[in-house]
Amino acid sequence: MLRAGFLGLGVMGQPMALHLARHMAGRTPLTVWNRTPARSAPLRDAGARVAETPGEVLRASDVVFLMLADGPATDAVLARGTEAFAGQVAGRTLVHMGTTSPGYSRALEADVRAAGGCYAEAPVSGSRGPAEAGQLVAMLAGERPAVEAVRPLLAPMCQEAFDCGPVPNALLTKLAVNLFLITMVTGLTEAFHFADRYGLDRDRFLAVLDAGPMASTVSRAKAPKLKDRDFAVQAAALDVLKNNRLIAEAAREAGLASPLLDVCHALFDETVGLGHGGGDMVAVLHAIEARTAGAGPSGRA
């Protein structure tokens, strides 16, 4: 049984690591670390071993999952660029599950392999709800031995895992998926705002939407939040803005137009500027409402 470690127990990482810890209970315990120690308590209760430092996790594990905020956070946790990096990485498989630029992932893979380690990308599609249910969808990229070592450990966290080829194809696939998600949820939010400001019955509008061909798992999760003005986070608006920037940068690098994404980018930037970055992505409603207020008379509040 491979020894596994997990670094990063945030909104997504904690429920993912919990599934893995329960899967490994009674065998080789999962070793975990998080910058905020309190986030590790549920993992300890599930049988995981809580490390005091990231280096302790790396030294105790054969495969280490990285679910960290961004490139700088990943570099800091791995001590990348220091003498300690090679000793902590050599002989281990690092699994990059966070969302960063494809170029960052490509460079990290080169450094890990140069240090004698293996590397795989495994970003996931889904928010907190699917993470808690173990129903995420993973995208895998990397050399075959690394991918095959990682795949069985993804099973407790993900309902399906797709091979995407070499690094950074998994991250590019994730960015394409997120482009659709961002534009879809923004469109749903604008449609709700339109119906609401015309005084239409909210429940009836959502029932019509749910009965029609546009209904989806996403709309069924987000529409009730809009109706109830429930901005409790599943996927934070600030994270969506970060993803939007990454997709836009990748599009510009390839000379691609991204007209819908660019509109969403502006709206999420406004959402964060209005102080709603910590809310769920449907908090983009605040930016749309602010534009309506600036445009003149409107319907009900």
PDB file of all heavy atoms in Angstrom, residues 108-131:
ATOM      1  N   LEU A 108       7.093  23.273 -12.913  1.00  0.00           N
ATOM      2  CA  LEU A 108       7.176  22.487 -11.679  1.00  0.00           C
ATOM      3  C   LEU A 108       7.492  21.033 -11.991  1.00  0.00           C
ATOM      4  O   LEU A 108       8.300  20.399 -11.300  1.00  0.00           O
ATOM      5  CB  LEU A 108       5.864  22.603 -10.898  1.00  0.00           C
ATOM      6  CG  LEU A 108       5.800  21.822  -9.575  1.00  0.00           C
ATOM      7  CD1 LEU A 108       6.902  22.259  -8.617  1.00  0.00           C
ATOM      8  CD2 LEU A 108       4.416  21.997  -8.921  1.00  0.00           C
ATOM      9  N   GLU A 109       6.879  20.501 -13.037  1.00  0.00           N
ATOM     10  CA  GLU A 109       7.179  19.129 -13.431  1.00  0.00           C
ATOM     11  C   GLU A 109       8.670  18.981 -13.741  1.00  0.00           C
ATOM     12  O   GLU A 109       9.312  17.995 -13.311  1.00  0.00           O
ATOM     13  CB  GLU A 109       6.363  18.726 -14.658  1.00  0.00           C
ATOM     14  CG  GLU A 109       6.669  17.299 -15.111  1.00  0.00           C
ATOM     15  CD  GLU A 109       6.118  16.971 -16.493  1.00  0.00           C
ATOM     16  OE1 GLU A 109       6.112  17.863 -17.365  1.00  0.00           O
ATOM     17  OE2 GLU A 109       5.721  15.809 -16.701  1.00  0.00           O
ATOM     18  N   ALA A 110       9.236  19.926 -14.465  1.00  0.00           N
ATOM     19  CA  ALA A 110      10.649  19.850 -14.822  1.00  0.00           C
ATOM     20  C   ALA A 110      11.526  19.844 -13.578  1.00  0.00           C
ATOM     21  O   ALA A 110      12.487  19.072 -13.477  1.00  0.00           O
ATOM     22  CB  ALA A 110      11.014  21.016 -15.737  1.00  0.00           C
ATOM     23  N   ASP A 111      11.191  20.679 -12.601  1.00  0.00           N
ATOM     24  CA  ASP A 111      11.986  20.751 -11.373  1.00  0.00           C
ATOM     25  C   ASP A 111      11.854  19.483 -10.539  1.00  0.00           C
ATOM     26  O   ASP A 111      12.835  18.996  -9.967  1.00  0.00           O
ATOM     27  CB  ASP A 111      11.557  21.959 -10.540  1.00  0.00           C
ATOM     28  CG  ASP A 111      12.070  23.272 -11.115  1.00  0.00           C
ATOM     29  OD1 ASP A 111      12.855  23.236 -12.085  1.00  0.00           O
ATOM     30  OD2 ASP A 111      11.674  24.336 -10.599  1.00  0.00           O
ATOM     31  N   VAL A 112      10.643  18.944 -10.459  1.00  0.00           N
ATOM     32  CA  VAL A 112      10.425  17.712  -9.689  1.00  0.00           C
ATOM     33  C   VAL A 112      11.198  16.559 -10.315  1.00  0.00           C
ATOM     34  O   VAL A 112      11.878  15.790  -9.620  1.00  0.00           O
ATOM     35  CB  VAL A 112       8.919  17.385  -9.598  1.00  0.00           C
ATOM     36  CG1 VAL A 112       8.697  15.980  -9.031  1.00  0.00           C
ATOM     37  CG2 VAL A 112       8.202  18.420  -8.735  1.00  0.00           C
ATOM     38  N   ARG A 113      11.116  16.432 -11.622  1.00  0.00           N
ATOM     39  CA  ARG A 113      11.819  15.336 -12.293  1.00  0.00           C
ATOM     40  C   ARG A 113      13.336  15.506 -12.194  1.00  0.00           C
ATOM     41  O   ARG A 113      14.069  14.522 -12.031  1.00  0.00           O
ATOM     42  CB  ARG A 113      11.363  15.251 -13.741  1.00  0.00           C
ATOM     43  CG  ARG A 113       9.893  14.809 -13.879  1.00  0.00           C
ATOM     44  CD  ARG A 113       9.433  14.772 -15.322  1.00  0.00           C
ATOM     45  NE  ARG A 113      10.198  13.814 -16.112  1.00  0.00           N
ATOM     46  CZ  ARG A 113      10.075  13.661 -17.417  1.00  0.00           C
ATOM     47  NH1 ARG A 113       9.209  14.417 -18.085  1.00  0.00           N
ATOM     48  NH2 ARG A 113      10.785  12.773 -18.063  1.00  0.00           N
ATOM     49  N   ALA A 114      13.808  16.745 -12.269  1.00  0.00           N
ATOM     50  CA  ALA A 114      15.246  16.990 -12.133  1.00  0.00           C
ATOM     51  C   ALA A 114      15.743  16.620 -10.739  1.00  0.00           C
ATOM     52  O   ALA A 114      16.907  16.235 -10.562  1.00  0.00           O
ATOM     53  CB  ALA A 114      15.554  18.453 -12.428  1.00  0.00           C
ATOM     54  N   ALA A 115      14.853  16.717  -9.751  1.00  0.00           N
ATOM     55  CA  ALA A 115      15.210  16.390  -8.372  1.00  0.00           C
ATOM     56  C   ALA A 115      15.059  14.897  -8.074  1.00  0.00           C
ATOM     57  O   ALA A 115      15.323  14.459  -6.950  1.00  0.00           O
ATOM     58  CB  ALA A 115      14.341  17.199  -7.410  1.00  0.00           C
ATOM     59  N   GLY A 116      14.629  14.114  -9.066  1.00  0.00           N
ATOM     60  CA  GLY A 116      14.491  12.677  -8.870  1.00  0.00           C
ATOM     61  C   GLY A 116      13.113  12.225  -8.455  1.00  0.00           C
ATOM     62  O   GLY A 116      12.922  11.085  -8.013  1.00  0.00           O
ATOM     63  N   GLY A 117      12.127  13.091  -8.611  1.00  0.00           N
ATOM     64  CA  GLY A 117      10.751  12.725  -8.279  1.00  0.00           C
ATOM     65  C   GLY A 117       9.910  12.516  -9.523  1.00  0.00           C
ATOM     66  O   GLY A 117      10.382  12.682 -10.654  1.00  0.00           O
ATOM     67  N   CYS A 118       8.656  12.123  -9.323  1.00  0.00           N
ATOM     68  CA  CYS A 118       7.672  11.982 -10.405  1.00  0.00           C
ATOM     69  C   CYS A 118       6.581  13.023 -10.208  1.00  0.00           C
ATOM     70  O   CYS A 118       6.383  13.542  -9.095  1.00  0.00           O
ATOM     71  CB  CYS A 118       7.079  10.577 -10.407  1.00  0.00           C
ATOM     72  SG  CYS A 118       8.267   9.269 -10.755  1.00  0.00           S
ATOM     73  N   TYR A 119       5.851  13.303 -11.263  1.00  0.00           N
ATOM     74  CA  TYR A 119       4.890  14.403 -11.217  1.00  0.00           C
ATOM     75  C   TYR A 119       3.658  14.061 -12.042  1.00  0.00           C
ATOM     76  O   TYR A 119       3.762  13.483 -13.133  1.00  0.00           O
ATOM     77  CB  TYR A 119       5.543  15.665 -11.777  1.00  0.00           C
ATOM     78  CG  TYR A 119       4.685  16.905 -11.775  1.00  0.00           C
ATOM     79  CD1 TYR A 119       4.621  17.725 -10.661  1.00  0.00           C
ATOM     80  CD2 TYR A 119       3.947  17.268 -12.899  1.00  0.00           C
ATOM     81  CE1 TYR A 119       3.853  18.882 -10.660  1.00  0.00           C
ATOM     82  CE2 TYR A 119       3.181  18.422 -12.920  1.00  0.00           C
ATOM     83  CZ  TYR A 119       3.139  19.232 -11.787  1.00  0.00           C
ATOM     84  OH  TYR A 119       2.377  20.373 -11.784  1.00  0.00           O
ATOM     85  N   ALA A 120       2.505  14.416 -11.509  1.00  0.00           N
ATOM     86  CA  ALA A 120       1.253  14.266 -12.247  1.00  0.00           C
ATOM     87  C   ALA A 120       0.357  15.455 -11.945  1.00  0.00           C
ATOM     88  O   ALA A 120       0.390  16.004 -10.842  1.00  0.00           O
ATOM     89  CB  ALA A 120       0.538  12.972 -11.868  1.00  0.00           C
ATOM     90  N   GLU A 121      -0.408  15.854 -12.946  1.00  0.00           N
ATOM     91  CA  GLU A 121      -1.488  16.823 -12.725  1.00  0.00           C
ATOM     92  C   GLU A 121      -2.771  16.047 -12.479  1.00  0.00           C
ATOM     93  O   GLU A 121      -3.019  15.034 -13.139  1.00  0.00           O
ATOM     94  CB  GLU A 121      -1.709  17.686 -13.967  1.00  0.00           C
ATOM     95  CG  GLU A 121      -0.634  18.682 -14.276  1.00  0.00           C
ATOM     96  CD  GLU A 121      -0.939  19.453 -15.560  1.00  0.00           C
ATOM     97  OE1 GLU A 121      -1.758  18.979 -16.383  1.00  0.00           O
ATOM     98  OE2 GLU A 121      -0.337  20.510 -15.746  1.00  0.00           O
ATOM     99  N   ALA A 122      -3.593  16.531 -11.548  1.00  0.00           N
ATOM    100  CA  ALA A 122      -4.911  15.926 -11.341  1.00  0.00           C
ATOM    101  C   ALA A 122      -5.894  16.982 -10.850  1.00  0.00           C
ATOM    102  O   ALA A 122      -6.498  16.830  -9.781  1.00  0.00           O
ATOM    103  CB  ALA A 122      -4.829  14.766 -10.354  1.00  0.00           C
ATOM    104  N   PRO A 123      -6.080  18.079 -11.612  1.00  0.00           N
ATOM    105  CA  PRO A 123      -7.100  19.051 -11.215  1.00  0.00           C
ATOM    106  C   PRO A 123      -8.481  18.408 -11.296  1.00  0.00           C
ATOM    107  O   PRO A 123      -8.675  17.418 -12.012  1.00  0.00           O
ATOM    108  CB  PRO A 123      -6.946  20.168 -12.247  1.00  0.00           C
ATOM    109  CG  PRO A 123      -6.363  19.486 -13.448  1.00  0.00           C
ATOM    110  CD  PRO A 123      -5.470  18.411 -12.902  1.00  0.00           C
ATOM    111  N   VAL A 124      -9.420  18.960 -10.544  1.00  0.00           N
ATOM    112  CA  VAL A 124     -10.752  18.365 -10.489  1.00  0.00           C
ATOM    113  C   VAL A 124     -11.815  19.375 -10.895  1.00  0.00           C
ATOM    114  O   VAL A 124     -11.654  20.577 -10.725  1.00  0.00           O
ATOM    115  CB  VAL A 124     -11.076  17.811  -9.079  1.00  0.00           C
ATOM    116  CG1 VAL A 124     -10.166  16.638  -8.755  1.00  0.00           C
ATOM    117  CG2 VAL A 124     -10.953  18.895  -8.011  1.00  0.00           C
ATOM    118  N   SER A 125     -12.909  18.852 -11.430  1.00  0.00           N
ATOM    119  CA  SER A 125     -14.083  19.651 -11.760  1.00  0.00           C
ATOM    120  C   SER A 125     -15.139  19.382 -10.703  1.00  0.00           C
ATOM    121  O   SER A 125     -15.451  18.224 -10.413  1.00  0.00           O
ATOM    122  CB  SER A 125     -14.609  19.288 -13.150  1.00  0.00           C
ATOM    123  OG  SER A 125     -15.759  20.050 -13.468  1.00  0.00           O
ATOM    124  N   GLY A 126     -15.688  20.454 -10.145  1.00  0.00           N
ATOM    125  CA  GLY A 126     -16.682  20.321  -9.083  1.00  0.00           C
ATOM    126  C   GLY A 126     -16.380  21.289  -7.965  1.00  0.00           C
ATOM    127  O   GLY A 126     -15.246  21.750  -7.814  1.00  0.00           O
ATOM    128  N   SER A 127     -17.386  21.600  -7.152  1.00  0.00           N
ATOM    129  CA  SER A 127     -17.225  22.528  -6.038  1.00  0.00           C
ATOM    130  C   SER A 127     -17.330  21.772  -4.720  1.00  0.00           C
ATOM    131  O   SER A 127     -17.159  20.550  -4.676  1.00  0.00           O
ATOM    132  CB  SER A 127     -18.286  23.634  -6.127  1.00  0.00           C
ATOM    133  OG  SER A 127     -19.587  23.076  -6.135  1.00  0.00           O
ATOM    134  N   ARG A 128     -17.624  22.483  -3.643  1.00  0.00           N
ATOM    135  CA  ARG A 128     -17.607  21.856  -2.318  1.00  0.00           C
ATOM    136  C   ARG A 128     -18.608  20.709  -2.206  1.00  0.00           C
ATOM    137  O   ARG A 128     -18.291  19.677  -1.613  1.00  0.00           O
ATOM    138  CB  ARG A 128     -17.907  22.906  -1.236  1.00  0.00           C
ATOM    139  CG  ARG A 128     -17.765  22.352   0.187  1.00  0.00           C
ATOM    140  CD  ARG A 128     -17.999  23.420   1.220  1.00  0.00           C
ATOM    141  NE  ARG A 128     -19.380  23.894   1.194  1.00  0.00           N
ATOM    142  CZ  ARG A 128     -19.846  24.863   1.977  1.00  0.00           C
ATOM    143  NH1 ARG A 128     -19.038  25.480   2.814  1.00  0.00           N
ATOM    144  NH2 ARG A 128     -21.112  25.239   1.910  1.00  0.00           N
ATOM    145  N   GLY A 129     -19.801  20.867  -2.768  1.00  0.00           N
ATOM    146  CA  GLY A 129     -20.813  19.808  -2.666  1.00  0.00           C
ATOM    147  C   GLY A 129     -20.329  18.484  -3.254  1.00  0.00           C
ATOM    148  O   GLY A 129     -20.346  17.455  -2.567  1.00  0.00           O
ATOM    149  N   PRO A 130     -19.898  18.464  -4.522  1.00  0.00           N
ATOM    150  CA  PRO A 130     -19.352  17.224  -5.081  1.00  0.00           C
ATOM    151  C   PRO A 130     -18.119  16.725  -4.339  1.00  0.00           C
ATOM    152  O   PRO A 130     -17.901  15.512  -4.248  1.00  0.00           O
ATOM    153  CB  PRO A 130     -19.012  17.621  -6.522  1.00  0.00           C
ATOM    154  CG  PRO A 130     -19.956  18.738  -6.834  1.00  0.00           C
ATOM    155  CD  PRO A 130     -20.090  19.499  -5.552  1.00  0.00           C
ATOM    156  N   ALA A 131     -17.321  17.633  -3.803  1.00  0.00           N
ATOM    157  CA  ALA A 131     -16.150  17.197  -3.030  1.00  0.00           C
ATOM    158  C   ALA A 131     -16.592  16.448  -1.780  1.00  0.00           C
ATOM    159  O   ALA A 131     -16.022  15.411  -1.419  1.00  0.00           O
ATOM    160  CB  ALA A 131     -15.283  18.399  -2.657  1.00  0.00           C
TER     161      ALA A 131
END
